[in-house]
Amino acid sequence: MNMFDNDKTFSVLDSVGMNTLAFQINTNIEEGEAVCSIEKMKSFIEQADNGFRKTFFFNPDPEKDNRKEVIFLTLKPGEAILNGAEFMNGKLNVGKKPGRIKYSSLKLQGDETEYKEFKYAPNFKRPISIIDPVLGDEVKPVVYFDTETNEVKAKIKLLPHKSYIALEVTPDM
């Protein structure tokens, strides 16, 4: 019996020293406007001969004939590689350049901790993800309601002299 449904999951093999993160791109129409968000995909990790096999899961499960856009960020010591893909009917097609993602690196100058703020969509999804390449994971935001602007926002704590990667999804590029 197969533990995973191949129509709703996919796997990647990371060699020792690599860490691949996968993000699902979501687009919803809210108040007549396209709202995009990026969501880190959960994975199950198994040890393999030359490293680790990661099986990624969609949330929610994709419907048949429904195309899902996926972004891969592969971290290696001193290097980050960004790829785009699409998943449809159990097949993953990986391309070179993700079309709707802005990629940037952040490094704080000075000795002070800094907080970056950004807006959440009305559905509590966010269009940006900040990744700590040393930890190989997202920096978790603190979500709050700004009573002055009547908006849901988030803050991310960035430490001085530390590099981060920012991935931001846009409606069209």
Side-chain angles (χ1 to χ4, degrees):
M1 179 174 116
N2 187 1
M3 201 163 107
F4 305 112
D5 183 346
N6 290 333
D7 289 341
K8 300 173 181 171
T9 65
F10 60 88
S11 296
V12 297
L13 184 62
D14 280 345
S15 60
V16 176
M18 286 176 57
N19 183 16
T20 299
L21 305 174
F23 298 87
Q24 176 178 324
I25 304 299
N26 301 308
T27 303
N28 298 313
I29 304 299
E30 295 181 16
E31 300 174 7
E33 192 174 314
V35 176
C36 298
S37 63
I38 185 168
E39 179 180 355
K40 182 180 174 220
M41 298 177 74
K42 291 184 173 32
S43 64
F44 178 79
I45 303 172
E46 303 171 274
Q47 190 164 1
D49 290 338
N50 297 339
F52 299 93
R53 176 175 304 285
K54 288 185 178 178
T55 302
F56 292 96
F57 305 88
F58 285 96
N59 180 26
D61 291 342
E63 297 173 12
K64 187 159 179 63
D65 298 328
N66 187 8
R67 178 186 163 274
K68 288 288 194 178
E69 191 174 352
V70 179
I71 302 301
F72 291 105
L73 179 64
T74 303
L75 302 170
K76 298 178 182 181
E79 185 179 5
I81 302 164
L82 189 66
N83 287 311
E86 73 176 20
F87 184 87
M88 189 167 163
N89 298 331
K91 299 210 184 320
L92 182 70
N93 296 313
V94 179
K96 294 262 183 205
K97 183 180 178 218
R100 302 186 313 147
I101 291 289
K102 289 183 185 177
Y103 167 94
S104 59
S105 59
L106 306 168
K107 187 166 185 174
L108 296 182
Q109 302 302 323
D111 295 327
E112 297 294 318
T113 297
E114 192 173 311
Y115 289 88
K116 294 284 186 188
E117 285 190 342
F118 52 90
K119 294 181 191 178
Y120 264 61
N123 63 1
F124 287 97
K125 300 289 184 178
R126 59 197 154 117
I128 192 167
S129 182
I130 308 292
I131 294 98
D132 180 335
V134 173
L135 295 177
D137 203 0
E138 280 186 299
V139 179
K140 300 296 181 198
V142 174
V143 180
Y144 67 97
F145 185 76
D146 186 342
T147 55
E148 290 180 21
T149 61
N150 204 28
E151 294 176 320
V152 176
K153 293 184 178 179
K155 285 193 251 190
I156 290 186
K157 181 179 180 178
L158 302 176
L159 300 174
H161 308 293
K162 185 169 176 76
S163 295
Y164 298 92
I165 297 169
L167 301 177
E168 183 177 5
V169 64
T170 59
D172 290 313
M173 279 190 75

